[in-house]
């Protein structure tokens, strides 16, 4: 009995402590509740004081201020102050730059789903949609990336003029200055569509609308500067560039050696106070053609000419200088990995500029780093994610088409499980990128400069795009390896390193920026605590630190308690109001993982302090957790506003499982490598008490998504949606339209094609070539003349879409490719194999196999042979409701076929409107085939004899080159998907 009461009392004490943390009670309230609980449990069992006394002592310490500060606050303040490295003004500005948004909710471990549900989903205005449908569409039609990259090394003069005169360089500039003033989402959509056609043109339009003088002027420029420059930038009369990086300053832009020293000098004939500039910049996009140059430099005033002798070093400053200014040298072009967007150098030695060239005037001297961090953040969230999303979406469309059209081993390559491992990853990653773009631009549309979110967008968008394009290269293989104007994957593949490198190198962004800035911008107490640790007023700082530190402890224990409970009973059931049966479990997972992340981040910050800055692998794992929590919410938001079809849910499910598995592995790798093993073990036990809880997508899910990847229209509405995001066309002579044209044609005739290929692979037809087999099938009556034409025409498109380019000896000019299977060349593919074989068999008295076997395409060769999808020898899909000639038995179908037994064959032979379609095709393609080998009807023999009086070769060539049937014979015929189809045709 006594033992039972003791256990009960201890359980009560622990439960109350847990409740204090879960309810996040204040220091005073929580201490009082704990003391009352100890007294009550002591009455139940005095032995409970073994645990109660230590708790009571701790509560008394927390309640008595002098004791608390002496025993806890002062030692902690001193220890942390010594552990934290000194923070320069530049670092402080960088960490303090920007705002926070939804990523802060996830960092703090208790996301507010009502807030999430209230975010306005980004949409285009009528003006923005019209611009994309008209101006952007027109520009894309003007662009030929092969010609741009390999011949002109530049955009055409017409494209340049169109870009300038239609406001592409002024998307962000307010309308009062002549700009378009588009939303962040609209900017992203514009850049995506241009990039789907030409990365060179996209980068050209991207830079002025991200890191450029326009952005800086809008936020920080004086009224005079805005009036001077913004109208010209909006109209394209002024072309901007911005010089930040140099030979000695890349990722560490704060270390730029370029200087501006305050002095007196001459400008436009009069002496004035200004800056003597010395700078050397490289990798500056648009520099070779810029009319105005933005410059970042370190400003110094050694003589105190600005009025403050104590302040000689102002720090990084930004100025705007005309490219024609005396001493400014626009140097030669760079060649950024073969992508010929304008990129080059800007140099200057002892260049004198007036002080009013400083952006924002002298008042903004030394504020350049903060300005750059905030403006860079916005650009990172729009431009490069847009280009990455576009590249992935074009890869999805093109590779999906290729995977269906291209056949190996009697099956579409997209049906192989090894390929589906890659294509399912491509599909889910592309879905993730489009979702990611929507949530990021949603945040940017609401204003502010969320630097952490945009750093996530830059890193995870470009890295995911790298994965998608690399997977696409693996699937397409040789078709993507051979360069030329037909190659639809080489351009995005070559451009990958540019996206990975610019606007913050990816390694740096992941290992330093995302969690480093995230801790400062998203943690509720950390930045203020760091400020107090470096304060010179130690006594005053200690009092404030005492308050903040215990709030911080309460926050940490609250997240720890939530993580602990979630580890055993699952996460909180909080979710947005629109959550459904599919999404609700994922919101629960996010609640759990968000609380676990808050606890883990606090452990890392508290125990490693300043050392965490150097533990970049650990920081990178924390970045992966934070980033994929954000990505998971983006996927859920995008799904909510989508079709919610089975195929879209499949995309979302695989994408979500990938993100959760990535988060879990990042947690476990972090714990396995954390220096303090005891702390890591405790937090690991709290957050993952049962070990791994997430698995990567199953093989079955991958197979399903791999199949869906090759579907279109209602079977895969996400693919249909992607067509509206990019420059989409089905032009058979276009670099991307060629494959899409073949794919769409196949979709239109797929049942016929599959049934024919099944029979072909079962050796049901005589001949050596595809054309032989089509003629043989037609002669047997298995397909109609029109179906034969459809097969020949699609085969020509299919073959052409798979051709790669060939060049002259010096690889200077791509040569024209001929298509041996085109309609005009198809007759050349016919052989006399069947005739020779049958003559030899007749000579030796052998009965041809085709006289024994059924002429039905779907018929088995033996009673025991499996047919259709049950046949393991092929991988073709089910045939649906397709019926061949021999299967048509309705009154209408029978009436549509000529009955030679009850007809006048001589009259019908003279009138092609009454001839049987198969016989017509036999006559047209008879040069190398015996037409009477299947005929027993004397009338048909007479027909053949008449036909043989003509020059077979001439007839065949003429008929194949002009395959149309007389219009009077098929008045209801119309074209569909590039092929002529009759409404009564069941294919």
């Amino acid at each position: 009995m006594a033992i039972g009461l003791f256990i009960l009392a201890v359980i009560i004490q622990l439960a109350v402590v847990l409740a204090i943390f879960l309810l996040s009670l204040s220091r005073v309230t929580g201490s009082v509740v704990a003391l009352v609980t100890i007294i009550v449990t002591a009455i139940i069992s005095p032995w409970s004081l073994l645990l109660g006394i230590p708790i009571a002592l701790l509560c008394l310490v927390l309640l008595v201020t002098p004791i608390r500060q002496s025993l806890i606050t002062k030692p902690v303040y001193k220890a942390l102050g010594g552990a934290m490295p000194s923070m320069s003004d530049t670092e402080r500005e960088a960490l303090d730059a920007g705002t926070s948004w939804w990523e802060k909710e996830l960092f703090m471990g208790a996301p507010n789903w009502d807030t999430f549900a209230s975010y306005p989903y980004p949409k285009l205005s009528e003006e923005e949609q019209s611009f994309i449908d008209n101006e952007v569409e027109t520009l894309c039609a003007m662009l030929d990336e092969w010609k741009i990259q390999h011949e002109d090394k530049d955009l055409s003069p017409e494209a340049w003029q169109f870009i300038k005169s239609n406001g592409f360089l002024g998307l962000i500039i307010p309308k009062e200055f002549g700009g378009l003033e588009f939303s962040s989402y609209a900017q992203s959509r514009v850049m995506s569509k241009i990039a789907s056609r030409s990365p060179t043109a996209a980068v050209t339009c991207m830079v002025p609308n991200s890191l450029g003088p326009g952005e800086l002027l809008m936020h920080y420029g004086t009224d005079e500067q805005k009036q001077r420059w913004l109208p010209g930038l909006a109209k394209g009369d002024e072309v901007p560039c911005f010089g930040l990086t140099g030979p000695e300053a890349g990722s560490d832009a704060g270390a730029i050696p370029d200087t501006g020293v305050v002095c007196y000098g001459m400008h436009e004939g009069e002496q004035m106070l200004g800056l003597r500039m010395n700078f050397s910049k490289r990798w500056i996009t648009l520099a070779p053609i810029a009319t105005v140059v933005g410059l970042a430099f370190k400003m110094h005033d050694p003589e105190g000419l600005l009025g403050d002798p104590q302040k000689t070093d102002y720090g990084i400053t930004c100025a705007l200088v005309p490219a024609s200014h005396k001493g400014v040298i626009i140097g030669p072009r760079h060649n950024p990995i073969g992508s010929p967007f304008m990129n080059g150098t800007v140099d200057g030695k002892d260049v004198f500029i007036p002080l009013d060239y400083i952006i924002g005037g002298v008042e903004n001297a030394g504020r350049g780093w903060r300005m750059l961090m905030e403006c860079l953040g916005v650009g990172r969230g729009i431009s490069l994610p847009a280009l990455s999303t576009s590249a992935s979406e074009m890869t999805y469309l093109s590779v999906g088409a290729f995977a269906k059209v291209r056949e190996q081993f009697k099956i579409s390559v997209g049906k192989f499980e090894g390929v589906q491992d890659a294509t399912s990853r491509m599909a889910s990653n592309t879905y993730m990128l489009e979702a990611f773009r929507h949530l990021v631009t949603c945040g940017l549309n609401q204003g502010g400069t969320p630097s952490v979110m945009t750093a996530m967008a830059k890193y995870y968008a470009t890295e995911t795009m790298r994965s998608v394009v690399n997977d696409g290269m693996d699937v397409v293989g040789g078709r993507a390896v051979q360069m030329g104007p037909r190659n639809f994957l080489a351009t995005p593949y070559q451009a990958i390193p540019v996206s990975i490198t610019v606007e913050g190198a990816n390694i740096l962004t992941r290992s330093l920026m995302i969690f480093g800035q995230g801790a400062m911008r998203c943690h509720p107490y950390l930045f203020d605590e760091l400020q107090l640790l470096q304060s010179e007023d130690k006594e005053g700082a200690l009092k404030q630190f005492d308050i903040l530190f215990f709030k911080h402890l309460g926050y940490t224990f609250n997240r720890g308690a939530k993580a602990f409970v979630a580890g055993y009973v699952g996460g909180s059931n909080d979710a947005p109001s629109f959550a459904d049966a599919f999404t609700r479990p994922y919101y629960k997972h996010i609640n759990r993982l968000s609380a676990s992340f808050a606890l883990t981040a606090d452990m890392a910050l508290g125990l490693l302090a300043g050392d965490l800055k150097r533990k970049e692998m650990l920081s990178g794992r924390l970045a992966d957790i934070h980033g994929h929590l954000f990505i998971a919410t983006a996927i859920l938001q995008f799904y909510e506003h989508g079709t919610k079809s089975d195929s879209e849910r499949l995309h979302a499910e695989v994408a979500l499982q990938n993100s959760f598995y990535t988060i879990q592995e990042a947690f476990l790798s972090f714990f396995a490598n954390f220096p303090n093993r005891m702390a890591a073990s405790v937090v690991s036990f709290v957050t993952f008490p049962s070990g791994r809880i997430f698995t990567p997508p199953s093989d079955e899910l991958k197979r399903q998504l791999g199949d869906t990847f090759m579907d279109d229209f209602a079977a895969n509405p996400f693919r249909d949606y992607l067509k509206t995001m990019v420059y989409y066309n089905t032009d058979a002579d276009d670099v991307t339209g060629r494959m899409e044209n073949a794919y769409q044609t196949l979709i239109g005739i797929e049942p016929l094609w599959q049934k024919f290929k099944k029979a072909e692979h079962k050796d049901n037809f005589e001949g050596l070539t595809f054309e032989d087999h089509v003629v043989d099938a037609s002669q047997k009556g298995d397909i109609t003349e029109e179906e034969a034409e459809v097969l020949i025409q699609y085969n020509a498109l299919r073959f052409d879409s798979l051709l790669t380019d060939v060049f002259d000896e010096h690889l200077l000019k791509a040569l024209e490719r001929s298509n041996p299977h085109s309609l005009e060349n198809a007759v050349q593919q016919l052989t006399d194999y069947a005739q020779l074989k049958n003559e030899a068999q007749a000579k030796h008295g052998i009965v041809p196999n085709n006289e024994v076997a059924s002429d039905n395409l779907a018929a088995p060769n033996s009673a025991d042979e499996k047919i259709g999808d049950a046949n393991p020898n092929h991988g073709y899909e089910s045939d649906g409701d397709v019926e061949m000639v021999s299967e048509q038995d309705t009154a209408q179908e029978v009436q549509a076929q000529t009955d030679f037994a009850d007809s006048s064959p001589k009259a019908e032979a003279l009138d092609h409107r009454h001839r049987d379609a198969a016989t017509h095709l036999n006559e047209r393609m008879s040069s190398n085939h015996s037409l009477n080998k299947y005929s027993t009807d004397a009338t048909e023999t007479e027909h053949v004899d008449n036909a043989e009086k003509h020059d077979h070769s001439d007839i065949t060539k003429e008929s194949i080159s002009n395959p149309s049937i007389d219009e009077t014979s098929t008045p209801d015929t119309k074209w569909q998907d590039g092929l002529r189809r009759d409404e009564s045709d069941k294919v």
Side-chain angles (χ1 to χ4, degrees):
M1 182 66 178
I3 294 176
L5 291 175
F6 169 72
I7 293 174
L8 175 62
V10 170
I11 291 175
I12 292 172
Q13 290 176 355
L14 293 175
V16 169
V17 170
L18 182 62
I20 290 171
F21 292 151
L22 283 173
L23 296 174
S24 196
L25 299 181
S26 68
R27 173 173 50 82
V28 175
T29 304
S31 297
V32 171
V33 170
L35 288 171
V36 171
T37 302
I38 291 167
I39 294 171
V40 172
T41 54
I43 296 173
I44 297 174
S45 172
W47 287 102
S48 67
L49 291 174
L50 290 173
L51 177 63
I53 289 175
I55 295 176
L57 291 174
L58 178 60
C59 291
L60 291 174
V61 169
L62 294 177
L63 289 171
V64 181
T65 301
I67 299 176
R68 181 182 69 250
Q69 290 184 351
S70 177
L71 295 179
I72 300 177
T73 307
K74 288 182 180 179
V76 170
Y77 184 85
K78 184 177 180 180
L80 291 177
M84 287 292 179
S86 61
M87 188 184 301
S88 66
D89 291 340
T90 300
E91 285 183 300
R92 185 176 290 106
E93 286 188 355
L95 292 174
D96 194 32
T99 57
S100 58
W101 190 61
W102 176 244
E103 71 278 11
K104 183 171 184 176
E105 294 278 341
L106 296 168
F107 189 100
M108 291 173 58
N112 186 326
W113 296 113
D114 290 336
T115 299
F116 181 75
S118 69
Y119 290 146
Y121 192 68
K123 295 180 180 179
L124 297 173
S125 67
E126 290 186 10
E127 179 186 6
E128 292 165 344
Q129 185 67 64
S130 175
F131 187 82
I132 289 173
D133 292 341
N134 294 286
E135 284 84 351
V136 178
E137 184 80 9
T138 301
L139 174 61
C140 288
M142 300 169 68
L143 302 170
D144 180 344
E145 189 66 4
W146 175 262
K147 191 171 186 295
I148 292 169
Q149 285 201 12
H150 299 275
E151 296 178 17
D152 298 341
K153 310 294 184 183
D154 189 9
L155 301 178
S156 67
E158 296 78 13
W160 267 115
Q161 186 56 47
F162 190 85
I163 287 171
K164 293 178 180 179
S165 60
N166 285 275
F168 283 87
L169 304 184
L171 299 180
I172 64 172
I173 295 176
K175 291 184 178 181
E176 62 180 294
F177 297 106
L180 295 176
E181 201 173 349
F182 279 179
S183 67
S184 297
Y185 177 62
Q187 295 172 48
S188 177
R189 288 285 303 275
V190 169
M191 296 307 161
S192 277
K193 189 165 184 176
I194 299 173
S196 70
R197 192 62 175 169
S198 167
T200 303
V203 172
T204 299
C205 297
M206 175 185 84
V207 170
N209 291 292
S210 55
L211 177 60
E215 179 88 11
L216 293 169
L217 284 170
M218 286 165 48
H219 292 287
Y220 309 105
T222 64
D223 291 339
E224 293 78 11
Q225 289 171 338
K226 291 177 182 179
Q227 293 295 338
R228 164 66 180 87
W229 294 109
L230 288 180
L233 292 170
K235 295 177 182 178
D237 296 335
E238 302 284 359
V239 178
C241 72
F242 194 89
L244 178 58
T245 55
E248 301 294 338
S251 296
D252 184 11
I256 55 177
D258 310 289
T259 59
V261 178
V262 180
C263 64
Y264 284 96
M266 298 296 296
H267 177 67
E268 295 182 349
E270 64 177 286
Q271 189 178 45
M272 62 179 64
L273 196 60
L275 296 168
R276 183 176 68 253
M277 305 281 294
N278 286 279
F279 51 89
S280 178
K281 304 292 187 180
R282 64 176 179 178
W283 306 336
I284 311 305
T285 300
L286 296 185
I289 59 167
T291 62
V292 57
V293 180
L295 290 172
F297 58 94
K298 287 184 176 177
M299 181 171 160
H300 305 277
D301 183 15
E303 301 178 70
L305 297 177
L306 294 180
D308 186 355
Q310 302 299 319
K311 190 173 183 179
T312 58
D313 297 322
Y314 280 77
I316 295 176
T317 303
C318 295
L320 206 56
V321 183
S324 59
H325 191 82
K326 183 179 178 180
V328 175
I329 302 171
I330 300 294
R333 290 176 65 179
H334 293 305
N335 186 5
I337 207 161
S339 187
F341 58 86
M342 287 294 171
N343 189 269
T345 62
V346 180
D347 294 280
K349 184 172 179 59
D350 294 331
V351 177
F352 181 80
I353 65 170
L355 287 176
D356 59 12
Y357 279 13
I358 296 174
I359 296 177
V362 179
E363 292 78 8
N364 273 350
R367 297 187 63 219
W369 188 239
R370 185 186 185 95
M371 294 159 60
L372 290 171
M373 287 299 97
E374 293 181 345
C375 292
L376 254 178
V378 175
R380 273 199 300 260
I382 298 175
S383 301
L384 287 171
L387 268 62
S388 299
T389 302
S390 171
S392 298
E393 291 174 345
M394 287 303 298
T395 303
Y396 185 115
L397 292 170
S398 298
V399 176
F402 174 89
K404 191 175 186 71
V405 170
R406 175 66 164 165
E407 296 178 5
Q408 293 286 273
F409 306 103
K410 306 178 184 179
I411 183 176
S412 293
V413 298
K415 282 289 187 179
F416 290 95
E417 282 196 9
V419 172
Q420 289 179 334
D421 191 34
T423 57
S424 63
R425 191 164 52 241
M426 294 171 64
S428 60
N429 280 339
T430 303
Y431 188 87
M432 180 275 275
L433 283 172
E434 187 60 43
F436 201 14
R437 181 241 293 273
H438 274 78
L439 187 57
V440 170
T441 53
C442 174
L444 293 173
N445 279 348
Q446 292 189 294
T449 55
S451 54
V452 178
M453 179 188 74
T454 53
M456 290 177 182
K458 193 275 176 181
Y459 174 78
Y460 292 104
T462 55
E463 287 295 338
T464 303
M465 177 270 294
R466 188 200 318 231
S467 171
V468 171
V469 175
N470 280 336
D471 280 335
M473 293 292 291
D474 287 349
V475 174
V476 179
R479 175 69 173 83
V481 168
Q482 298 297 333
M483 291 291 292
R486 288 172 170 264
N487 195 319
F488 52 80
L489 263 185
T491 295
Y493 181 77
Q494 282 183 312
I496 288 173
V498 176
S499 298
I500 298 300
T501 303
V502 301
E503 293 196 17
N506 276 14
I507 291 177
L508 170 75
T509 301
R510 174 179 177 267
S511 61
L512 285 177
M513 291 185 60
I514 294 176
F515 183 74
Q517 275 196 313
M520 295 299 108
R521 300 307 311 157
C522 299
H523 196 287
Y525 307 111
L526 185 61
F527 185 75
D528 291 334
E529 288 172 330
L530 288 178
Q531 297 287 85
L532 293 173
L533 288 172
Q534 297 198 1
S535 172
E536 298 193 8
D537 180 12
K538 299 298 182 183
E539 186 175 345
L542 184 62
K543 292 180 181 179
Q544 297 180 56
F545 183 81
D546 181 59
I547 297 171
L548 276 179
F549 178 69
F550 283 98
K551 285 184 177 180
H552 188 162
L553 282 180
Y555 161 84
T556 302
F557 284 119
N558 172 260
R559 279 16 179 203
K562 287 185 174 182
F564 178 78
V565 172
Y568 288 94
V569 301
S572 163
N573 287 319
D574 291 345
S577 55
F578 52 69
D580 57 22
F582 168 67
T583 60
R584 191 171 295 278
Y586 293 111
Y587 287 112
K588 192 171 184 177
H589 290 320
I590 292 172
N591 290 331
R592 171 182 178 174
L593 294 170
S594 178
S596 298
F597 175 61
L599 175 63
T600 305
D602 258 14
M603 174 190 73
L605 292 166
L607 296 180
L608 294 181
D611 284 343
L612 186 58
K613 183 178 180 181
R614 290 175 286 276
K615 298 289 185 181
E616 295 180 18
M617 293 187 215
L618 294 179
S619 178
R621 294 183 182 106
L622 293 172
D624 288 342
I625 297 169
H626 196 189
H628 276 277
L629 282 171
F630 189 93
I631 287 169
T633 61
I635 295 168
L636 291 168
Q637 184 204 54
F638 187 67
Y639 174 81
E640 174 61 29
H641 289 85
T643 63
K644 294 189 177 181
S645 61
D646 290 342
S647 66
E648 183 167 352
R649 183 158 53 250
L650 191 61
H651 283 79
E653 185 173 5
V654 174
L656 286 164
Q657 288 189 17
N658 281 329
S659 282
F660 285 120
Y661 185 73
T662 300
I663 292 169
Q664 171 184 268
E665 295 307 298
F667 265 119
L668 298 179
S669 294
F670 179 89
F671 296 141
N673 290 278
F674 194 72
N676 189 320
R677 303 304 306 136
M678 180 178 293
S681 298
V682 170
V683 175
S684 176
F685 173 75
V686 169
T687 54
F688 289 89
S690 59
R692 285 179 168 84
I693 57 175
F694 301 108
T695 59
S698 67
D699 290 352
E700 179 57 30
L701 273 179
K702 291 180 182 179
R703 281 192 292 269
Q704 292 177 24
L705 187 52
D707 286 339
T708 301
F709 182 70
M710 297 184 290
D711 290 334
D712 202 359
F713 305 115
N716 184 7
F718 180 63
R719 187 182 198 277
D720 231 19
Y721 167 85
L722 293 183
K723 300 173 191 175
T724 67
M725 297 290 107
V726 299
Y727 181 74
Y728 176 82
N729 75 95
T730 56
D731 182 354
D733 293 322
D734 183 79
V735 59
T736 56
R738 181 178 288 108
M739 183 58 71
E740 186 68 11
N741 181 50
Y743 169 77
Q744 293 296 341
T745 302
L746 174 58
I747 288 179
I749 67 160
E750 189 172 7
L752 170 64
W753 177 257
Q754 288 182 348
K755 180 164 277 190
F756 179 82
K757 294 298 286 186
K758 285 180 185 179
E760 184 182 48
H761 290 314
K762 289 165 62 176
D763 295 326
N764 283 3
F765 309 130
E766 298 286 358
L768 299 177
T769 66
F770 176 84
E771 287 77 7
D772 285 345
H773 296 164
V774 172
V775 169
D776 194 42
S778 175
Q779 290 170 340
K780 293 177 181 179
D782 291 334
I783 59 175
T784 66
E785 172 192 342
E786 187 174 17
E787 288 169 341
E789 291 178 5
V790 165
L791 290 171
I792 291 173
Q793 184 176 4
Y794 167 67
N795 189 56
L797 293 175
R798 178 196 64 81
F799 187 83
D800 183 68
S801 72
L802 300 175
L803 286 175
T804 54
D805 292 284
V806 294
F807 291 81
D808 63 276
E809 180 182 0
H810 301 290
L811 299 178
L812 297 176
K813 183 178 180 180
L815 306 179
E816 185 176 349
R817 295 303 313 262
S818 62
N819 185 353
H821 298 287
S822 63
L823 287 174
E824 59 270 21
N825 294 332
V827 67
Q828 306 300 328
Q829 305 305 311
L830 296 173
T831 71
D832 59 358
Y833 173 85
Q835 180 180 351
L836 294 174
K837 178 179 177 181
N838 283 292
E839 288 175 353
Q841 289 178 336
K843 182 177 179 180
H844 295 88
I846 301 173
V847 178
N849 290 335
N850 52 54
E851 291 186 7
V852 178
S854 168
D855 65 350
N856 189 335
L857 284 179
N861 290 330
S862 67
D864 296 329
E865 182 179 353
K866 293 181 179 181
I867 63 174
D869 286 339
N871 187 344
N873 295 322
H874 65 74
Y876 288 92
E877 298 174 357
S878 58
D879 302 318
D881 297 328
V882 178
E883 293 180 351
M884 297 304 165
V885 173
S886 60
E887 300 173 310
Q888 299 174 5
D889 55 9
T890 66
Q892 182 180 2
E893 290 167 342
V894 171
Q895 184 178 1
Q897 307 298 325
T898 302
D899 187 349
F900 280 95
D902 298 324
S903 63
S904 175
K906 291 185 178 180
E908 291 172 4
L910 297 176
D911 188 352
H912 61 266
R913 290 175 297 176
H914 298 285
R915 286 183 291 180
D916 177 78
T919 306
H920 186 195
L921 188 66
N922 291 346
E923 176 183 333
R924 294 169 56 201
M925 302 185 69
S926 61
S927 62
N928 294 305
H929 288 261
S930 173
L931 301 182
N932 61 357
K933 60 182 178 178
Y934 303 115
S935 301
T936 56
D937 190 288
T939 309
E940 186 170 344
T941 303
E942 179 181 354
H943 179 120
V944 172
D945 290 340
N946 289 335
E948 288 179 342
K949 293 179 182 179
H950 302 284
D951 184 335
H952 293 172
S953 177
D954 290 343
I955 291 174
T956 307
K957 291 180 181 178
E958 178 183 358
S959 59
I960 292 180
S961 63
N962 184 20
S964 301
I965 303 176
D966 190 301
E967 293 299 326
T968 59
S969 66
T970 55
D972 296 327
T973 297
K974 64 181 181 179
W975 289 86
Q976 177 180 332
D977 296 326
L979 297 171
R980 192 178 57 193
R981 303 279 299 286
D982 189 276
E983 290 181 354
S984 63
D985 189 354
K986 295 182 179 293
V987 177

